[in-house]
Amino acid sequence: MFIFALAVVFKLLSIQFMQGDKYRSLAEERTIKDVVIPANRGNVYSANGNLLATSIPKYDIRIDAITPSSVTFEKYLKPLCDSLSVFSGKSTSYYEKLIRKARANKNRYLLLARNIGYSDYIRVRNFPMLNLGAFKGGLIVEQTTKREHPMGGIAQRSIGYERHDENGNITRAGLDGAFGAKYLRGKDGHRLKQRIGKGQWKPIVDYNQVEPKDGYDIYTTISVNIQDIAHHALLQQLEYYEAEHGCVVVMEVETGEIRAISNLGRTSKGTYYEKLNYAVGESHEPGSTFKVMALMAALEDKVIDTSTIVDTKRGRKMFYGRYINDSRHGGYGEISAARSLEVSSNIGLATIIDDNYAKNPEKFLNRLKSWKLHQPLGLPIIGEGKPAIYEPGHDKWSKNALPSMSYGYNLELTPLQTLTFYNAIANNGVMVKPRFIREVKELDKQIESFDKEIINNKICSDKTLKEVQEILKNVVVRGTGRSLYSPYFSMAGKTGTAKTEYWMSDWEDNRRYVSSFAGYFPAENPKYSCIVVIHKPSVEKGYYGADVTGPVFKRIAQKIFTDTPLIDQVESLEIKQASVENEYELYYDISEKHKTIMPNVVGLPTMDAIAILENMGLKVRTQGVGEVKSQSINKGDKVKRSQRVVIEAS
């Protein structure tokens, strides 16, 4: 027994002094843990300050029913239950029974309110008893954050997100994902919690040991107005043509700022949502929109000029044992190189490129490489698609590769890569990198700004540039895009129609196409460039670029012109022009003095005269425009409401 007692004492001393730190640490780990308090993620704003994505704090309010003393509990229970009743709509007796039962059962983690906003949180924590805090009132507050997109589904994929699954994997999409780690995420805080049994943990104190630091805000280049226009124009066309998916991008020509980007995919129910970022991530054969690059290469290498005659036969011509066809039955015969692009002749472009580069295909490929068409744009958004331009020696290279490339096959580009090239044509040859972000800020303090980045200072000579600009304008006036022509505003661009999945055995029975349109507007002094791509429209309804994607382009251009008119910036609002001031004073004087007596509006601008007279209740009919020369009712005559007056202008 004595030996046994010595062994027990030895073991106690060993545990106390030799292994004490280990067991104390283990005990603490099981009863106390360090809980991460996520930082509020920074906001994402549009170019004009509209909120695109924000983190909304949500709160769970609980009570430790054991902590309040008996006096405190009895004193404040009824007022607390009354307040909770008003807040939730449940009866006072319901809450009184609930909280008394929790105290009897020694429940230290009773839920009172779940997932409430900040204003409700402030309101609840000031209820009787809860306003005494954690130590006296038993208040327990748990905060979480929820990411919300005020614009709903519009541009949701491009705005993006950062999601964590149960296995610790992170999915980063769009701008939110691309800039999350560096700017938006912030720094998490820490809070100690103590185990109170039944798998429940209660904060030890009523404050965080380390306060979370909110992330920075990013200001994008997206225009809410243009984004809304682009989204609905694309959606309308996808629904009509029952297409699989599509995208549209609108870029500001001079700066490369992306004003709108919409990506919509079809669900099994036939509805559309922001499924994937097709504009950035989907490489595919561009089809006829690539003919512009092919013709520009030939013009820049001076192997042809725009007047070079090309024989397109009768719409069918053999190249190395394989026929190439034009969409027009009977063909175009002998036409100029410029006209080949206007009417989108496959044979015309294939003949030009094959005749001049067949013996030296590297020359053609090197021209494409000088435009960096073989390289990704290097966008910050994760998942940019890789272009593919094949060379001799590659498995996909053959004698037919070169003529196929001339009209957009046997190579791959993303829609945004194609748009970047068209934007360079509109920008007088300067190729700028597409830009999604303007600046990063912390409240009003600028952290970082992003400026225009030039990829290529001059993609071609001024002569080639002017010729191609004229051809793209004529595509809309008299070429494949003539159905889009409008006398009220000018556009320039190129239609595109490409077969897709044509290598599959069922293609002849189930034909599938990719329709596209790339261009810019206005045709003179362009402000915006735009590309529209729609995959697998219903063949029964149509599949040509001019029919499927062209109207989307036109609708966007038309809406931007009418809803967001282009205006010159006023350098100073302080400058006053005497004639304008006198005109305003005259208008103001007449409109204030004359209510029932006909004023003299002769000499006033027609629009001012109409405004004055209609405000008097008169019905005005005008003849001509400019300054008013005569009026049907003499100055000083008494008039009454709804009386008709005719004003003539020069």
Side-chain angles (χ1 to χ4, degrees), residues 513-527:
Y513 294 90
V514 178
S515 304
S516 56
F517 191 97
Y520 50 85
F521 53 91
E524 302 81 15
N525 300 317
K527 176 68 174 175

Side-chain angles (χ1 to χ4, degrees), residues 263-288:
N263 301 277
L264 296 172
R266 194 167 188 256
T267 68
S268 57
K269 296 180 180 179
T271 58
Y272 292 88
Y273 75 107
E274 288 262 336
K275 200 171 184 179
L276 294 169
N277 199 332
Y278 304 109
V280 172
E282 185 175 44
S283 297
H284 62 90
E285 291 177 316
S288 296

